[in-house]
């Protein structure tokens, strides 16, 4: 706990100021109230207006529904908040309406003891992922820490955590969110660099722009490196990864980035699912399509995100594809390879091994041995992006997964797997790309 507070203060220099203000403010309220409140009766602690505890997710990437809140108007007593996660639209390919992603703000909570229950957690997409999960919380929406006191009751199917916030409002989320507005800011920042071209792949069903960043100048012998992320919008770590990767590629003093750009052009889709991101979905787009099950039959009506991206790949060509994801259950970073595609051969195996061994050297957060296991020969699902692309272009293609929880072999007790570590992981990824570039074609 002490460490958590220290971490928070270190990362937000203004926190000390806020703290001082609020103590003074609190004292004033108590002084003013002293004459009004009879002896022994609890005086108001920290509010000028008594709206009590309120929950809201009506914002970019937000998701929660309130069932009920106990004692919401009272101060200094325990409060139980029963909440439900709102499901994505029904997904035909997966025969379910997915949910696990949550992101909401609770206001009026300073020094109040909260007991939060996600009452429908057990009906979510991956209930076996809840044990050992710790909810993420933030006071400034920049620094996210874990709530140690999180537990899953398997019998009741309820995920609960207990927290006494130190500020008036607190945000809780499944993982450090990467809302659509931040994506827009990222695109604006990256496209400001003179070496970057921004292309519009198309528009989504909700009318969002689907962005493709091209970094580097095309040339006869240049390799075409595609990296895409967030087909599953609830996997926000994937776009934090992209942020780290993009900043490294554009660092003109970085020798790895410079060498990469001499040999390759990067085609990057930092967010494949803007609608799902904005709506607060876990796994699907506005029509309920699981985009990572659409690569064998994308349509403009149901999965335009995949349709337009695949069209651009056909026009440009692909020598390398990394598809970046997060896994709810497995507490490791790992790569899911293409052993099961019909085109799998010694050349692709050698490339994949070379990539993995370079990544192992660059980032101790990467590992081999824990993951999904390999598909049997010829048994890959060609509706999945990396399999479809590997097969279509006979190139090195894989899915990269990061944990929602933490890495079992290198735990970070305060934040778990975090946005910061996702960024560093994206940063390190470039070394492994460089290692395979000369051999891609
Ligand atoms: Zn995914």
């Amino acid at each position: 706990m002490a460490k958590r507070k220290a971490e928070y203060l270190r990362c937000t220099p203004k926190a000390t100021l806020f703290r001082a203000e609020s103590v003074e403010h609190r004292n004033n309220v108590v002084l003013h109230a002293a004459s009004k409140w009879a002896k022994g009766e609890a005086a108001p602690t920290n509010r000028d207006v008594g709206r009590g505890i309120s929950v809201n997710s009506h914002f970019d990437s937000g998701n929660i529904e309130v069932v009920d809140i106990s004692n919401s108007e009272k101060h200094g007593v325990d409060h139980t908040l029963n909440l439900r996660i709102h499901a994505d639209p029904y997904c035909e390919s997966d025969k379910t309406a997915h949910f696990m992603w949550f992101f909401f703000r609770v206001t009026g909570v300073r020094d109040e003891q909260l007991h939060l229950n996600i009452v429908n957690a057990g009906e979510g997409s991956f209930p076996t992922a809840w044990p050992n999960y710790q909810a993420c919380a933030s006071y400034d929406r920049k620094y996210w820490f874990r709530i140690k006191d999180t537990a899953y009751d398997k019998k009741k199917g309820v995920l609960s955590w207990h927290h006494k916030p130190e500020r008036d409002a607190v945000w809780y989320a499944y993982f450090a969110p990467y809302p659509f507005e931040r994506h827009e800011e990222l695109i604006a920042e990256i496209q400001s660099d003179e070496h970057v071209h921004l292309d519009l792949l198309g528009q989504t069903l909700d009318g969002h722009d689907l962005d493709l960043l091209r970094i580097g100048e095309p040339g006869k012998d240049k390799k075409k490196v595609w990296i895409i992320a967030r087909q599953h919008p609830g996997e926000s770590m994937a776009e934090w990864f992209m942020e780290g990767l993009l900043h490294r590629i554009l660092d003109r003093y970085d020798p790895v980035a410079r060498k990469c750009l001499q040999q390759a052009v990067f085609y990057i889709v930092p967010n494949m699912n803007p609608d799902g991101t904005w709506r607060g979905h876990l796994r699907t787009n506005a029509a309920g399509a699981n985009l990572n099950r659409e690569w064998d039959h994308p349509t403009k009506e149901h999965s335009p995100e995949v349709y337009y991206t695949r069209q651009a790949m056909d026009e440009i060509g692909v020598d390398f594809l990394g598809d970046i994801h997060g896994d709810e259950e497995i507490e490791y970073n790992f790569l899911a390879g293409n052993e099961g595609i019909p085109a799998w051969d010694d050349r692709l195996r050698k490339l994949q091994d070379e990539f993995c061994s370079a990544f192992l050297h660059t980032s101790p957060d990467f590992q081999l041995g824990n993951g999904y296991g390999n598909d049997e020969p010829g048994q890959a699902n060609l509706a999945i992006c990396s399999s479809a692309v590997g097969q279509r272009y006979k190139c090195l293609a894989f899915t990269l997964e990061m944990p929602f929880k933490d890495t079992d072999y290198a735990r970070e007790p305060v934040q778990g797997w975090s946005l910061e570590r996702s960024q560093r992981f994206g940063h390190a990824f470039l070394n492994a790309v460089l290692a395979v570039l000369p051999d891609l074609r």
Side-chain angles (χ1 to χ4, degrees), residues 231-232 235 283 292 324-326 401:
Q231 292 196 80
H232 297 142
E235 295 160 12
R283 228 168 145 73
N292 205 25
I324 316 301
H325 286 252
E401 300 278 353

Side-chain angles (χ1 to χ4, degrees), residues 212 224 226 267 311-318:
L212 171 68
K224 292 146 186 165
W226 284 77
Y267 297 91
Q311 194 174 52
M313 286 177 172
D314 278 347
E315 284 166 17
I316 293 163
V318 185

Side-chain angles (χ1 to χ4, degrees), residues 189-431:
E189 180 203 342
I190 300 299
Q191 74 112 25
S192 302
D193 188 290
E194 59 182 328
H195 300 294
V196 175
H197 293 267
L198 171 64
D199 282 317
L200 191 61
L201 287 169
Q203 273 170 347
T204 64
L205 298 171
D206 280 347
H208 287 117
D209 288 338
L210 188 65
D211 297 317
L212 171 68
L213 295 165
R214 190 189 89 203
I215 307 176
E217 290 309 316
K220 198 170 131 285
D221 298 320
K222 291 272 189 86
K223 306 292 170 22
K224 292 146 186 165
V225 173
W226 284 77
I227 305 163
I228 70 168
R230 255 187 131 181
Q231 292 196 80
H232 297 142
E235 295 160 12
S236 52
M237 62 287 284
E239 200 160 3
W240 289 114
F241 173 103
M242 290 304 237
E243 207 178 278
L245 174 70
L246 283 163
H247 285 149
R248 180 143 192 223
I249 296 175
L250 288 173
D251 180 353
R252 66 193 57 194
Y253 303 111
D254 187 309
V256 172
R258 290 167 65 91
K259 202 161 180 195
C260 278
L261 289 175
Q262 283 164 13
Q263 298 179 32
V265 184
F266 286 79
Y267 297 91
I268 292 186
V269 186
N271 187 337
M272 281 289 293
N273 198 336
D275 293 357
T277 301
W278 190 83
R279 286 163 170 246
H281 287 181
L282 176 73
R283 228 168 145 73
T284 65
N285 73 357
N290 176 349
L291 298 182
N292 205 25
R293 300 294 182 275
E294 293 283 318
W295 286 76
D296 55 345
H297 60 280
T299 65
K300 274 187 196 171
E301 294 71 33
H302 191 60
S303 44
E305 301 87 349
V306 176
Y307 181 90
Y308 293 126
T309 304
R310 204 178 73 156
Q311 194 174 52
M313 286 177 172
D314 278 347
E315 284 166 17
I316 293 163
V318 185
D319 296 320
F320 173 106
L321 169 89
D323 180 20
I324 316 301
H325 286 252
D327 187 275
E328 289 80 355
E329 191 167 12
I330 299 175
E331 297 180 57
Y332 296 94
N333 287 300
F334 62 96
L335 183 144
N338 255 346
E339 290 82 358
I341 62 170
W344 185 250
D345 59 11
D346 279 351
R347 183 182 71 93
L348 292 181
R349 182 192 307 280
K350 201 170 148 269
L351 280 172
Q352 190 174 297
D353 289 349
E354 198 182 345
F355 180 86
C356 287
S357 103
F359 205 6
L360 279 173
H361 278 104
T362 320
S363 176
D365 270 335
F366 185 60
Q367 59 86 50
L368 303 174
N370 298 280
Y372 296 144
N374 297 347
D375 285 327
E376 292 300 314
Q379 296 303 303
N381 179 354
L382 296 177
I384 292 176
C385 174
S386 56
S387 299
V389 170
Q391 179 63 26
R392 201 174 174 90
Y393 305 99
K394 312 286 184 281
C395 66
L396 174 61
F398 55 80
T399 307
L400 184 70
E401 300 278 353
M402 286 171 275
F404 273 86
K405 297 189 261 193
D406 201 352
T407 48
D408 190 43
Y409 45 93
R411 293 200 177 274
E412 202 294 306
V414 179
Q415 290 182 275
W417 188 253
S418 60
L419 76 89
E420 292 85 354
R421 291 174 75 190
S422 305
Q423 288 172 323
R424 304 309 186 275
F425 199 48
H427 197 270
F429 183 84
L430 199 65
N431 290 66

